[in-house]
Amino acid sequence: MIYRAATADPADLDRALAYPADGPVAALTPDRVREELAANQIRPEWIWFAEDEDGRLLARALWWGRADSERPVALDCLHVRADVADPAALAAGLLAAGHAAFGKAPVYNLSLPRDWRADAELVAAVAWRQEAAYRAGLTQEIERLRYEWTPAAGTAEPTGRLVFREGTDEEFLDGFARLSRGSLDLNTQQELAVTTEEEFAKDDFAYYLDCPGERSWWRLAHLPDGTLAGMAIPSATPYHRNVGYLGVVPEQRGKGLIDEVLAEITRFHAAAGADRITATTDTVNVPMAAAFDRAGYEVTEIRLVLERPAGA
């Protein structure tokens, strides 16, 4: 078996676009792949094939990154031909080869319908992908709800319960650390098991600073008496506005203030003319999911995220 990037032959990109990505797990369309290639968000060296001795493509993987990414950020598509006897083994080899070339193991994002577990064919297609990811070292699994807001949902007026203002880098670093305490976010819990609050805060700060949104959008949330209540960090993706990061400090939780923070982010993006705002939260983070529901955000898909464990 030969595992390689789509860089050996001028015809490789055509072969990648023509690859029959059949089966119940959705794939990017050829037109969408062309758009991503043109935007430098999918690159020939991030498209990988599993090829037999006769040159027949048995599997294809598409990794994605931002236009300025040095390495891919996530695996978006993984497909193996239906006549392959052990798709998990073949796909695991393909992922391992890609990871070795990249010098890292990007996360694998599987986008699924909300009721995917009711479809036996889809469950089986997800299962071999999970097995392949596990074998390639992506053994941490988190299931997330992907939410979307559109202008039809409207925005809530400020209630005066919170006051929002700009803050210094030091204030936001302190906020990231404080908001991480007792968080229901699984990634946060796993990271804090292997690092300090301070290091975690620095990583979170750097992550959101590197996102397409602007640092000037960030806001601290205070009670009217000046007590810190939380943070609102509107952000963006290469495609649309995004909720980014939001939270309430532990001592202020359970008072409905998360609704105020989310409403501020929604108003901010809506005022800028956003026709779509996306957000994600873990399925186990019931309070956050309920806040999105109350704010008129709707679930558009389940995102199954497979990645290396924190510290691995």
Side-chain angles (χ1 to χ4, degrees):
M1 189 62 58
I2 299 169
Y3 299 111
R4 66 177 184 84
T7 55
D9 188 301
D12 276 345
L13 286 182
D14 290 335
R15 298 178 77 198
L17 292 167
Y19 180 84
D22 51 8
V25 173
L28 296 180
T29 65
D31 284 346
R32 176 67 182 277
V33 175
R34 289 188 187 95
E35 291 173 3
E36 298 290 352
L37 284 164
N40 205 39
Q41 292 172 168
I42 291 178
R43 304 173 196 171
E45 62 269 28
W46 297 352
I47 299 173
W48 277 68
F49 301 135
E51 189 176 70
D52 67 15
E53 293 76 8
D54 297 323
R56 180 172 179 250
L57 298 187
L58 300 181
R60 185 197 68 178
L62 303 178
W63 277 273
W64 178 95
R66 294 201 295 267
D68 59 352
S69 297
E70 180 181 349
R71 298 171 181 171
V73 173
L75 174 64
D76 264 5
C77 284
L78 176 63
H79 287 80
V80 175
R81 286 186 181 267
D83 58 355
V84 171
D86 190 348
L90 183 64
L94 180 58
L95 296 189
H99 294 171
F102 305 146
K104 64 174 293 187
V107 301
Y108 178 16
N109 289 324
L110 259 169
S111 297
L112 303 165
R114 192 169 188 176
D115 60 348
W116 70 273
R117 288 186 173 86
D119 184 333
E121 184 184 8
L122 184 52
V123 168
V126 170
W128 70 251
R129 288 172 168 84
Q130 289 172 304
E131 178 63 25
Y134 296 161
R135 294 189 195 183
L138 306 180
T139 57
Q140 179 173 291
E141 181 176 314
I142 297 175
E143 191 166 327
R144 293 194 172 110
L145 299 168
R146 182 187 182 277
Y147 278 94
E148 185 173 295
W149 175 94
T150 62
T155 57
E157 292 296 321
T159 65
R161 295 186 67 197
L162 292 178
V163 178
F164 295 90
R165 69 169 179 85
E166 297 182 24
T168 66
D169 290 355
E170 290 73 21
E171 287 177 308
F172 279 106
L173 283 167
D174 177 66
F176 277 119
R178 291 176 62 179
L179 268 65
S180 70
R181 299 168 194 166
S183 173
L184 297 179
D185 180 79
L186 294 178
N187 258 342
T188 300
Q189 295 174 9
Q190 291 155 359
E191 290 289 341
L192 288 176
V194 298
T195 192
T196 65
E197 282 184 3
E198 292 73 20
E199 289 302 313
F200 175 80
K202 290 177 183 177
D203 288 345
D204 253 13
F205 183 94
Y207 173 80
Y208 287 102
L209 196 62
D210 191 47
C211 286
E214 301 294 334
R215 168 66 176 82
S216 61
W217 298 354
W218 299 13
R219 296 291 184 269
L220 297 170
H222 289 268
L223 299 177
D225 66 4
T227 302
L228 180 68
M231 298 196 309
I233 298 184
S235 191
T237 75
Y239 310 103
H240 39 65
R241 295 295 184 105
N242 180 261
V243 166
Y245 181 95
L246 74 167
V248 173
V249 295
E251 59 270 26
Q252 299 297 335
R253 290 172 186 160
K255 303 176 182 179
L257 295 179
I258 195 65
D259 292 344
E260 306 291 325
V261 179
L262 178 57
E264 175 70 9
I265 293 176
T266 306
R267 285 192 298 268
F268 177 85
H269 285 321
D275 59 3
R276 179 188 305 175
I277 307 169
T278 58
T280 59
T281 193
D282 298 344
T283 54
V284 297
N285 194 342
V286 176
M288 191 67 252
F292 282 122
D293 292 338
R294 289 191 296 270
Y297 285 70
E298 295 187 1
V299 175
T300 57
E301 67 182 31
I302 295 289
R303 185 165 292 172
L304 194 63
V305 182
L306 299 156
E307 58 189 333
R308 280 194 180 278

